[in-house]
Amino acid sequence: MSDYRAEELLIDVIAAMLEGLGHVAVGASSPIPGAAALLARERSDGGMRVSVLGSRRHNFFTDGGRELFDCAAQGRIDAFFLGGGQIDGQGNINLVGIGDYPRSKVRFPGSFGSAYLYFLIPRVILFRQEHNRKILVPKVDFISAPGVSDANVYRPGGPHALVTGRCVFRFDKPRRRFALATIHPGHTIEEVRDETSFDFDTPDSIATTPAPDAETLTLLRGPVAEALAETYPDFAARVFGELVTR
Amino acid sequence: MSDYRAEELLIDVIAAMLEGLGHVAVGASSPIPGAAALLARERSDGGMRVSVLGSRRHNFFTDGGRELFDCAAQGRIDAFFLGGGQIDGQGNINLVGIGDYPRSKVRFPGSFGSAYLYFLIPRVILFRQEHNRKILVPKVDFISAPGVSDANVYRPGGPHALVTGRCVFRFDKPRRRFALATIHPGHTIEEVRDETSFDFDTPDSIATTPAPDAETLTLLRGPVAEALAETYPDFAARVFGELVTR
Amino acid sequence: MTRHLSTVRDLASMIDSGARVAVPPDYSGCAMAAVRELIRRGVRDLHLIGVPQAGFQADMLIGAGCVGTVESAAVTIGEYGPAPRFVAAVKAGAVRVLDSTCPAIHAGLQAAEKGIPFMPLRGILGSDLVAHRDDWRVIDNPFGEDDPIVALPAIRPDVALFHAGVADRFGNVWIGVRRELMLMAHAAAATLVTVEEIVDDDLLADERTAAGTIPALYVTALAKAPMGARPIGLGERYPADDGHLRRYVELARTEEGFRRYLDEFVLAGEVPA
Amino acid sequence: MTRHLSTVRDLASMIDSGARVAVPPDYSGCAMAAVRELIRRGVRDLHLIGVPQAGFQADMLIGAGCVGTVESAAVTIGEYGPAPRFVAAVKAGAVRVLDSTCPAIHAGLQAAEKGIPFMPLRGILGSDLVAHRDDWRVIDNPFGEDDPIVALPAIRPDVALFHAGVADRFGNVWIGVRRELMLMAHAAAATLVTVEEIVDDDLLADERTAAGTIPALYVTALAKAPMGARPIGLGERYPADDGHLRRYVELARTEEGFRRYLDEFVLAGEVPA
């Protein structure tokens, strides 16, 4: 077991999915996707722009709250991140609540921009660190944003992958379902099956998610940690702080 | 004949139509309406706002070119001014050209915002200093903006009056035509009839347009001239300059 | 012309029970001092519109029983956890929620800003949001073929209520890049603003400040309220009062705790600056 | 990332014949130096979009045979009189005119900005503009009854071309209250800007300048062009060259005179700063 944190592996695996993109946006309360975007930017040699909502320094919008959405609709955002109180096997996400709407047993904050951005941004990466049967369900109780749409619906965007604390699923758009891609070190396929209550495809050979290499860890604990700390000081201190060698 | 210029009378008669309004906007290349709005503001004891397009000091818009139009649609502009290369007896105006469109014999600049503002601003005052049969026609060659609309068309705004160098017509909305209101000093009803090629109503008694009084001339040649000079220096110098007594 | 009111109470008195009130999220300038006045006055049945989401002020107003409907893309107090009184009111069926999505709120306000009855918007189709919003329609794109698109009705608030740093003596309000506040002001019938300071200047006179200024034309009334966003923060001027908000979230877990909070910081006292 | 080009010619070379080019009116910052490069290069069949009207640059481009279509609420050089080459081209049927109205241009660009296929707009019904625009539709307001409303298709320029005072080394461009330039940049596939000066700074770092800045994200390429709007003016920086423009209008009354103007100030020389 090498000297990295679980979060660093997740950041690294998400960053790999952003390689070569021109503009990655990160929503509110998303330190791991935020760090991943900043890591990908570090690796891009100036080729990638990252917009972090809630950041003063890494936010290039000057037209008010609508600009992120307009910008996405203009095709100027290549990747974004969404989570979900529930996520189902068709890529539907639920940010509204559990139980019968509107009097949800468990009420989440709300759909935010998901019902829009999931349609318009080509590469939407679903991220939820917790991975259990209550979250990864066969069918969400409320569709904040659907994973797939009918052919006549204007939809340049949609789910690309689902990253959890246990594994990575790729979304298979034609089959409208997830396929297990890699399992994180220390986790097993049985565990993933046990903790996932939706059906997914399992290729013959499943690789282990590669651990972050030394160069990645240097970037993470250096410039990425520093850039992230502006928006997520607590997270940056907790995850990168103790390991920073400077 | 008292000591005032023809323009001063026109400014005064237009200003009277603006009394009590909260916000008057003035389009480009409109020195006489602009002066009228500024005069009405002087008389309003701080109750009237005037937005002069092309002015830096008397322009309160900060949302780009669309704001004037959005502002009108929000119902925040009470009066505006339109002209026309042709104006007809139904209040239709033509800012596009004379002859068969699109290859007009005489081409004007274009419709600007007329096709919109004429619908949305309650009190639109048509102003054209020249008054002859070529301008005041039975039917315009191109309707940039119609004077009246069918009952099912959303139209809080429309023509209020037509002010020319010879007279004032009031627009009679139910009858969809103009009625002569007052004739400027030195002009006659016969002349107005001769020089107008559309039909209009003529009440039994037609008053003479009142001449501007001394107080008005003092305002015009003082604070109004000064405010107007920022946007229309040549006009202000020509009309008010020689008469200013300071 | 913009009315300069001498107290926040006078400003808040312009909001009637039943009003449709647009408010910004916690990061965009919230008129918390005015919100406390509304609670003291016991306004009822507000239709709160989060632009595009609502935070601490929504939770307080809902908890205090001031809100009939909340129309928002989310109700959240962010890092402090779920909005406790909102969640409790939803479970109890004590508040009607018009769940929306951020760009739909912006688009609805833009429709009001443009004086158009609706705004079409991509996305959203197939979301359960559409199923539960009988005020939204799915229409055919008149320029397409078999191309459904959501039509969102204009959102026309009676009041836009927010807090900003600076206004001038004419009633112009500087909001910088927080242009959702300008959109709210354009869309609303009345705009009520509390500010940190009122400067003896003209923000529109210099294009550098004019570029980030809501003209007085849209500002119905202003009142000075130093630290008026507390306990939440205001841009670069001051941060949120972390301890206070954590205490709120703790207390507001229960109805009784929330009442204690109200007694201490709203009904009998004031939030410390 | 924004390309910093060393010459205006390089910038103008990014505009191909046939391109849909959005330009501002004479009072909002026109890239005249770039326009002269386009004429020198002999581009053809431009679809010029006046936002919302076009002035001197349109008249020159039309006179030089660079324009196939002009879509605008007006073509005017204001106080200098009718746009002579535009008027002549209309009479000769040498240019296709898509007559529009100011708010329709803004709304069409806003539709592109929002990525929606169309924008509804009040007014306009019964204007002959509608009769002659077969790309416009009249639809029923889905929220009304017997309530016709104009639907305007999105206007998506290939290029937005304008001149501004200041850009920074990252490619951010300050436009102050001239937000129609920001709308153009949001709506267009590419945005090409000439500027008076490029500062070694970050316009987005300070909210006071950020409020009036187009982020580099929307700026495809930049070139420095001091006095680049001449012979017309640039906001508070410099006024129009009155004498030059009067001479232009005088010369451009005839085809021959216009050719002489082109020879002197475009093909063989440059407009004096």
Side-chain angles (χ1 to χ4, degrees), chain D residues 152-184:
Chain D
L152 302 157
I155 298 174
R156 304 182 203 275
D158 296 316
V159 177
L161 174 69
F162 57 87
H163 183 73
V166 181
D168 68 22
R169 62 198 171 92
F170 302 102
N172 304 303
V173 177
W174 196 79
I175 47 109
V177 297
R178 301 255 61 106
R179 289 188 85 89
E180 59 276 8
L181 300 174
M182 188 179 288
L183 175 59
M184 281 165 59

Side-chain angles (χ1 to χ4, degrees), chain C:
Chain C
M1 301 294 153
T2 305
R3 291 174 60 190
H4 281 71
L5 302 174
S6 51
T7 69
V8 176
R9 176 170 301 180
D10 290 344
L11 188 96
S13 77
M14 296 176 73
I15 301 179
D16 296 326
S17 287
R20 295 166 58 85
V21 183
V23 296
D26 286 350
Y27 52 77
S28 193
C30 293
M32 293 309 305
V35 163
R36 288 189 290 273
E37 291 293 353
L38 292 175
I39 294 173
R40 284 182 199 120
R41 225 182 74 221
V43 298
R44 286 289 172 271
D45 201 30
L46 295 179
H47 179 125
L48 214 57
I49 302 161
V51 181
Q53 70 214 40
F56 184 57
Q57 63 187 326
D59 200 61
M60 277 183 68
L61 285 166
I62 290 167
C66 303
V67 178
T69 299
V70 57
E71 176 175 3
S72 194
V75 178
T76 171
I77 35 186
E79 57 185 302
Y80 303 101
R85 290 296 93 203
F86 164 68
V87 167
V90 166
K91 283 189 198 169
V95 66
R96 185 171 72 124
V97 185
L98 291 177
D99 265 293
S100 188
T101 178
C102 306
I105 299 269
H106 294 304
L109 290 168
Q110 281 185 282
E113 178 180 63
K114 294 199 82 62
I116 51 179
F118 71 99
M119 181 78 85
L121 201 69
R122 288 300 190 187
I124 314 177
L125 292 162
S127 162
D128 282 339
L129 294 174
V130 180
H132 291 279
R133 289 295 298 256
D134 53 19
D135 55 337
W136 293 359
R137 304 256 184 289
V138 179
I139 64 169
D140 278 320
N141 169 13
F143 296 90
E145 208 171 301
D146 185 24
D147 180 13
I149 187 166
V150 176
L152 301 158
I155 298 174
R156 304 183 203 274
D158 297 315
V159 177
L161 174 69
F162 57 87
H163 183 73
V166 181
D168 68 21
R169 61 198 172 91
F170 302 102
N172 303 304
V173 177
W174 196 79
I175 48 108
V177 297
R178 299 256 63 105
R179 288 187 87 88
E180 59 277 6
L181 300 175
M182 190 179 287
L183 175 58
M184 281 165 58
H186 289 171
T191 293
L192 307 180
V193 187
T194 58
V195 290
E196 293 292 315
E197 52 174 331
I198 297 173
V199 295
D200 186 20
D201 204 346
D202 181 355
L203 292 167
L204 296 181
D206 184 334
E207 193 175 0
R208 282 171 300 181
T209 51
T213 295
I214 302 176
L217 170 60
Y218 303 95
V219 181
T220 312
L222 267 180
K224 193 170 157 182
M227 304 301 282
R230 275 300 179 94
I232 59 175
L234 180 64
E236 288 167 0
R237 287 201 173 228
Y238 47 85
D241 181 341
D242 245 36
H244 186 102
L245 286 172
R246 287 189 203 288
R247 183 149 171 230
Y248 172 83
V249 172
E250 184 63 32
L251 283 169
R253 279 188 191 166
T254 64
E255 173 68 24
E256 300 69 40
F258 178 72
R259 289 289 146 195
R260 283 220 307 282
Y261 177 88
L262 279 194
D263 283 343
E264 185 170 355
F265 294 110
V266 180
L267 303 176
E270 251 296 329
V271 164

